[in-house]
Amino acid sequence: MITTRNTVIEVKVQGKREIVNPFEAELYGYFRRKDGKKYVIPGFYDGDNMWKIRFSDAEEGEWYYKIVSKVVDFFGETEGKIIVKGENKNTTEQIFTKGTHFVNRDGESIFLLGFECNFLFSLVASPNGHAKLDILINNIKEAGFNQVQVNTYAYDYSFRQGRTRENDYGPAYINLWEERDGRKVYNIDYFRNFDYMIEKLNANGIYVHLYLRVYNKFVLWDENGSFEDDLFYYQFISRYQAYPNIIWNLTKEGYFEGDKEYLYRVASKVKGWDAYHHLCTIHDDLEFALNPKYAHTIDFLTLQQHEQWPFAIAFYSTISGKPVVGGETGVESPKIERVRRYPAERVCEIAYETIMSGGYYQYYWAYAAWDVIEYDTKPKGFEYMRRLRDFFEEFDLSKFTIHPERLVWSGQALDDGKSTLLIYVEPAKHMPGFVNREGQSMLNLSRYGKIESVETFGVYSGRREPATSERLHVFTPEPERGFTKQKHEGVKVLHSYSNEPTMFIFRYSK
């Protein structure tokens, strides 16, 4: 068999089983390259007495494999050779961490911008679901998103129970399990649709942040730690680990799980089965993620933070030394019918605040994040997110660190320590009878040597221009407030545009 780099290939073997439920059969592929590199990859049942093991690799090479099982008698060949050669431009590359940043295999920065779509699996299984997925993928790619957050399974959403409208995909259009001969078994059709979804996203360069379990979507999960519970995780880890676009999330709403030893057990299982060592996180369970006993199983933090997110992201990235994703920090909605629903402009601000705090942003839109998915609609926030990604991808953010101490009054700063300083300032929000310093920040430039250029960038409009004296000027002390009269040439005052937040781009040489 011949394949290209980062391209999934299936090793298929037929056989008869010695157990009643074919999904319970364990099998493993032992893959070995001439230079000694090895993988041990679990396989899975795919219907009609067919078992499969999926394989991929990021490097060219010649691999030899052998398929073994204690409970399946295979027909035909169980050994063979796979040659990995050449490029595949229609795929992703596996993602890693480097300190508080996401990077590729070569250590180059990857700017992750997430799109929450929990019930995407249900949309794919709905009437004309594959065509709907194609439309949605085109829309989110156009908006700059390169990651989708999706559940392995969910039944319904508590705030919109039942089929409330045409594009409501909860209750789920397909069940993960079905009853056969009086037994609960996995639904092959479910996985056929899930396979299509994963493959399509991978082919379009989109990472899949996969919530393995969710606690608040009306799913009757098997007993924690039971054989059936382990089997659930095995199905997903074995089927999808060969895809380079996979990111594991132990559970969404992890704080609902009181048994942290159970989560540790799951994390250990996931990492033990995953030959490719994909990144693993947990949503909204810092008690687990920061516990010294469990922290080694978590590669980055995913927060559900509805207030003070800049401070939280800066704090947790500093104490953990890991990337932090603002996983749920405000929802864009045309109707502010519930708390934490915001217009597109406020969501845009939250995104910049998150990134300028050293974090990564996960976008929530009220008509895609949960069971209602308006797959053919482009909300206003899409335009802002596209502009945001284009702006930040100009810089290698893996080289930047946060420096809140550099500014006075307001604003956020990222500095690469060599040639570029980024500062974010939001417009003033005036309050009667109150002197408010918002809308401006103050910076001492004496540490930066020669300032080569300063530009401003409006985050709503996208206008970019050299900074004028209206935006940037020398701080002039006010004698009536007790300051001395001399000017402080090195101290500059930065003024946001009056109608939109502003990025300042300082280019300097020391």
Side-chain angles (χ1 to χ4, degrees):
M1 291 189 290
I2 300 176
T3 187
T4 50
R5 297 194 312 113
N6 290 317
T7 302
V8 176
I9 191 170
E10 293 182 338
V11 179
K12 304 175 184 179
V13 285
Q14 284 191 304
K16 62 179 182 179
R17 62 191 184 276
E18 299 176 3
I19 55 179
V20 174
N21 184 352
F23 293 97
E24 296 178 4
E26 285 192 19
L27 66 152
Y28 292 90
Y30 291 82
F31 294 79
R32 175 178 52 83
R33 202 168 63 185
K34 285 185 176 181
D35 63 1
K37 184 177 180 180
K38 298 178 181 179
Y39 289 129
V40 180
I41 305 174
F44 56 92
Y45 181 67
D46 205 41
D48 299 324
N49 291 320
M50 178 73 73
W51 280 265
K52 294 180 179 179
I53 293 177
R54 288 175 174 157
F55 169 86
S56 68
D57 195 57
E59 301 171 326
E60 293 189 347
E62 195 170 283
W63 290 81
Y64 296 88
Y65 68 84
K66 181 178 182 179
I67 311 303
V68 300
S69 176
K70 294 180 179 180
V71 295
V72 181
D73 292 327
F74 297 119
F75 309 140
E77 294 294 328
T78 58
E79 299 183 31
K81 182 171 69 173
I82 298 175
I83 297 173
V84 180
K85 186 177 182 179
E87 297 287 335
N88 179 0
K89 295 182 180 179
N90 296 318
T91 186
T92 57
E93 55 181 344
Q94 190 172 344
I95 193 167
F96 301 88
T97 63
K98 180 181 178 182
T100 60
H101 300 282
F102 293 113
V103 296
N104 64 14
R105 192 175 297 275
D106 297 322
E108 299 167 336
S109 178
I110 293 179
F111 183 73
L112 273 188
L113 184 60
F115 180 81
E116 190 83 8
C117 198
N118 292 169
F119 279 76
L120 184 59
F121 71 91
S122 181
L123 176 144
V124 175
S126 71
N128 300 314
H130 291 193
K132 294 174 184 177
L133 177 65
D134 290 343
I135 295 170
L136 180 62
I137 286 176
N138 288 336
N139 287 343
I140 65 176
K141 280 183 66 177
E142 183 181 292
F145 299 107
N146 60 352
Q147 181 187 202
V148 168
Q149 288 74 232
V150 59
N151 294 330
T152 57
Y153 186 65
Y155 182 70
D156 205 354
Y157 177 52
S158 59
F159 292 107
R160 285 191 288 247
Q161 291 187 50
R163 201 83 65 202
T164 62
R165 56 200 296 170
E166 180 182 359
N167 289 320
D168 189 340
Y169 298 96
Y173 268 95
I174 194 167
N175 290 320
L176 175 56
W177 299 276
E178 62 182 357
E179 188 172 308
R180 188 180 301 165
D181 299 327
R183 294 178 291 107
K184 186 176 80 170
V185 297
Y186 285 94
N187 183 355
I188 288 294
D189 287 338
Y190 177 91
F191 286 114
R192 295 276 188 271
N193 284 286
F194 213 92
D195 289 352
Y196 181 86
M197 178 187 75
I198 297 292
E199 290 166 2
K200 269 289 186 177
L201 292 168
N202 184 53
N204 281 275
I206 298 174
Y207 292 93
V208 180
H209 182 131
L210 193 56
Y211 295 117
L212 292 171
R213 183 191 268 204
V214 60
Y215 280 89
N216 60 349
K217 298 295 184 294
F218 300 101
V219 181
L220 297 176
W221 299 106
D222 290 304
E223 182 181 352
N224 284 2
S226 65
F227 174 82
E228 293 77 14
D229 185 49
D230 287 350
L231 187 60
F232 162 78
Y233 293 105
Y234 179 88
Q235 298 302 313
F236 284 92
I237 307 306
S238 61
R239 291 189 77 102
Y240 300 115
Q241 64 175 277
Y243 289 92
N245 64 329
I246 289 294
I247 297 169
W248 308 123
N249 191 315
L250 299 180
T251 176
K252 184 173 172 62
E253 316 287 354
Y255 56 83
F256 284 120
E257 177 54 69
D259 186 353
K260 304 309 175 187
E261 283 295 313
Y262 166 70
L263 292 176
Y264 183 47
R265 183 178 186 275
V266 171
S268 301
K269 291 276 187 181
V270 169
K271 287 186 169 286
W273 283 322
D274 180 12
Y276 293 89
H277 307 296
H278 291 285
L279 296 185
C280 184
T281 186
I282 188 168
H283 175 266
D284 203 22
D285 194 346
L286 293 171
E287 183 181 357
F288 179 87
L290 297 176
N291 188 313
K293 182 177 180 180
Y294 312 132
H296 66 278
T297 66
I298 299 300
D299 299 299
F300 66 96
L301 308 183
T302 304
L303 306 186
Q304 181 174 190
Q305 189 81 28
H306 295 294
E307 295 178 352
Q308 300 181 331
W309 39 85
F311 308 105
I313 288 167
F315 174 74
Y316 289 122
S317 64
T318 300
I319 66 170
S320 70
K322 299 175 181 179
V324 177
V325 173
E328 191 171 342
T329 55
V331 180
E332 179 183 342
S333 176
K335 296 187 295 183
I336 315 302
E337 73 275 15
R338 295 181 58 233
V339 295
R340 299 189 288 272
R341 301 290 192 270
Y342 302 106
E345 289 72 23
R346 181 60 187 130
V347 170
C348 178
E349 292 173 1
I350 293 170
Y352 278 86
E353 291 167 4
T354 297
I355 295 163
M356 290 300 295
S357 299
Y360 294 83
Y361 187 66
Q362 198 163 295
Y363 170 83
Y364 266 66
W365 178 40
Y367 297 101
W370 299 291
D371 58 343
V372 170
I373 305 174
E374 300 291 351
Y375 63 90
D376 55 354
T377 301
K378 300 177 184 179
K380 191 174 183 180
F382 276 23
E383 178 185 344
Y384 296 148
M385 293 301 108
R386 175 75 260 179
R387 198 166 285 138
L388 174 146
R389 181 175 176 185
D390 288 345
F391 175 81
F392 281 109
E393 282 202 326
E394 179 183 333
F395 311 98
D396 183 353
L397 290 184
S398 69
K399 303 290 195 300
F400 284 75
T401 53
I402 59 172
H403 285 283
E405 78 284 358
R406 302 276 171 88
L407 302 176
V408 178
W409 294 336
S410 68
Q412 295 169 274
L414 288 174
D415 190 354
D416 69 357
K418 293 183 178 180
S419 62
T420 307
L421 170 68
L422 303 176
I423 293 177
Y424 173 73
V425 183
E426 293 181 353
K429 302 176 179 66
H430 294 293
M431 298 173 64
F434 177 65
V435 178
N436 194 336
R437 291 293 185 183
E438 288 187 51
Q440 59 184 329
S441 186
M442 191 163 65
L443 170 70
N444 190 330
L445 289 173
S446 59
R447 69 167 60 246
Y448 289 102
K450 181 182 178 181
I451 301 299
E452 305 287 351
S453 65
V454 186
E455 294 179 285
T456 54
F457 172 77
V459 306
Y460 299 158
S461 66
R463 59 174 165 170
R464 187 163 176 170
E465 58 192 1
T468 64
S469 58
E470 185 181 3
R471 306 270 75 80
L472 180 69
H473 61 78
V474 174
F475 172 66
T476 304
E478 303 163 340
E480 66 274 16
R481 298 188 61 214
F483 288 99
T484 54
K485 293 184 178 181
Q486 74 268 23
K487 290 186 176 181
H488 296 259
E489 295 293 340
V491 180
K492 302 287 186 179
V493 179
L494 289 66
H495 291 269
S496 162
Y497 291 118
S498 62
N499 59 348
E500 63 179 327
T502 307
M503 291 293 307
F504 290 81
I505 306 102
F506 288 81
R507 307 284 188 178
Y508 63 89
S509 58
K510 291 187 176 181

